[in-house]
Amino acid sequence: MSLATMFKRNSLLDERSTWVTSVVLIVGMLAVVVLHALPSDHAWHLNGSVVSLLGKYLTYMLLALAVDLIWGYLGILSLGHGAFFALGGYAMGLYLTAQDAPLAGWQSAMVHFPVAALGVVLAPGLLALVFGWLAFRSRVTGVYFSIITQALTFALMLAFNRNEMGMGGSTGLTRFDELLSFSLSSEGMTIALFVASGVAVLLAFWGCKAITRSRLGRVCMATRDAEARVRFIGYRVEHVKLAVFVLSAMIAGIAGALYVPQVGIINPSTFAPLFSIEIVVWVALGGRATLYGALLGALLVNYFKTLLTGVMPDAWLFLLGGLFVVVTMFLPQGVAGLMAHLRRRREVTT
């Protein structure tokens, strides 16, 4: 097979996977909306708690997309993306808290939704900009970058645990009642948040796919595979890394903002390094550098987490660690890679 034929074939497969993923997301959202609208005594009716749980899964899928964009296509393994997710969540949490009681100082501005929405993307974006500029300018790469991102999220967890931060201390922010003057406990708001999360995942998926197909995406993949050569031909690699890293942090912040009203709480445990490591496991299981694999991995891991933590809560972390080891050893390209391998075998046999 010639190089041109292989490139064309890969492009067609990528196009097909994009459309299939988009259709599955849209059909899935419509199915949930329809099933929720059924009478409460119907056998297939989905109640509000199930819809909220599915909405939480969608926010995790959005977060996984953010990690896959920088890890799968740029080769940057961040073990601190939970921090960006939490910052977006805290920005939304402050807005929701301000609807019930006035906040003091600079937090009083968060009573306005446009200000809060700006904070959702600016807080993680500015942190990623400063942190990334310092790290990439110093050419910190590989495991060293992973370690300092984990140190970053751990430091933020300690800081947000302090009552002096005005973020609720170890309890965090909770007891939210209204969003945009609508009750969060209403069925309409539950389904609206679910749909908003699904639309965000769909738009982020299309946006990330457009980036990976663009010239920027090709430079990212070249940097991942041979950074020294990319520098040699004249590209400012640190600028490319910084731009994509900031964008990824903003996507994570949006995921956190959609997570908080559906779960009803945000606290410093979201900054815990273990959560950031879990995100990496989602992407590794689903398959790096595919985007749809990240979505699939986040959904599968969190579904089984919900299922197994009720049956064997003490064993879940051991299962998660074992899963990561198995995937690393036997499925280096994740579920998406396994599906692609099976498809190629089927094509060869036919």
Side-chain angles (χ1 to χ4, degrees):
M1 184 183 295
S2 67
L3 185 62
T5 304
M6 185 180 299
F7 180 77
K8 183 178 179 181
R9 177 176 175 274
N10 290 337
S11 298
L12 290 174
L13 289 175
D14 182 62
E15 188 74 26
R16 185 170 66 180
S17 67
T18 301
W19 281 107
V20 169
T21 304
S22 301
V23 169
V24 169
L25 283 171
I26 294 171
V27 171
M29 282 191 294
L30 291 175
V32 171
V33 172
V34 171
L35 293 176
H36 178 71
L38 293 174
S40 57
D41 58 348
H42 196 282
W44 287 10
H45 171 74
L46 291 181
N47 58 39
S49 60
V50 175
V51 175
S52 294
L53 180 62
L54 294 174
K56 184 178 77 169
Y57 290 166
L58 286 172
T59 63
Y60 286 158
M61 291 163 70
L62 183 59
L63 179 57
L65 271 180
V67 173
D68 193 24
L69 182 63
I70 61 165
W71 187 29
Y73 291 92
L74 196 52
I76 298 174
L77 177 57
S78 169
L79 294 180
H81 253 58
F84 305 129
F85 179 83
L87 287 175
Y90 266 98
M92 177 57 73
L94 286 174
Y95 165 76
L96 296 173
T97 302
Q99 304 311 299
D100 298 327
L103 300 177
W106 65 268
Q107 294 180 352
S108 61
M110 299 299 285
V111 70
H112 306 291
F113 184 78
V115 176
L118 200 60
V120 164
V121 292
L122 281 184
L126 288 175
L127 176 62
L129 180 66
V130 174
F131 179 84
W133 184 79
L134 292 172
F136 301 137
R137 180 173 173 268
S138 304
R139 299 193 181 184
V140 178
T141 58
V143 66
Y144 303 105
F145 184 85
S146 302
I147 291 172
I148 61 174
T149 54
Q150 195 168 42
L152 171 69
T153 189
F154 186 73
L156 287 172
M157 181 184 71
L158 296 179
F160 274 72
N161 261 302
R162 298 177 62 88
N163 291 323
E164 293 85 345
M165 286 287 292
M167 298 292 181
S170 59
T171 306
L173 304 175
T174 186
R175 296 180 181 177
F176 310 128
D177 294 325
E178 291 185 352
L179 172 61
L180 296 173
S181 301
F182 294 98
S183 174
L184 284 172
S185 59
S186 66
E187 294 291 327
M189 180 54 73
T190 300
I191 202 70
L193 286 169
F194 169 80
V195 172
S197 300
V199 170
V201 171
L202 197 59
L203 292 177
F205 176 71
W206 288 342
C208 291
K209 185 61 72 172
I211 291 173
T212 59
R213 291 173 175 172
S214 67
R215 181 181 178 183
L216 175 61
R218 291 192 290 272
V219 173
C220 287
M221 288 182 277
T223 302
R224 175 196 65 192
D225 298 333
E227 182 176 334
R229 293 185 181 184
V230 177
R231 289 184 185 276
F232 180 76
I233 61 178
Y235 283 100
R236 297 295 298 272
V237 172
E238 59 272 16
H239 292 173
V240 174
K241 288 183 175 181
L242 184 60
V244 179
F245 186 63
V246 170
L247 176 62
S248 174
M250 289 181 173
I251 295 173
I254 294 171
L258 290 167
Y259 168 88
V260 169
Q262 297 183 88
V263 176
I265 187 172
I266 181 73
N267 57 41
S269 66
T270 315
F271 286 103
L274 179 60
F275 177 60
S276 294
I277 295 172
E278 277 191 41
I279 304 168
V280 172
V281 175
W282 305 345
V283 179
L285 175 66
R288 285 194 297 154
T290 59
L291 296 181
Y292 70 88
L295 300 178
L296 181 61
L299 180 62
L300 288 176
V301 174
N302 284 287
Y303 170 74
F304 283 108
K305 180 179 181 179
T306 303
L307 195 66
L308 294 175
T309 48
V311 179
M312 47 181 73
D314 296 331
W316 163 247
L317 290 178
F318 295 101
L319 292 173
L320 184 66
L323 179 65
F324 186 66
V325 172
V326 169
V327 169
T328 303
M329 294 181 61
F330 301 105
L331 290 175
Q333 295 180 328
V335 176
L338 177 62
M339 292 166 59
H341 175 69
L342 295 175
R343 183 172 58 245
R344 286 194 297 267
R345 286 188 59 182
R346 187 173 64 250
E347 290 176 355
V348 170
T349 57
T350 55

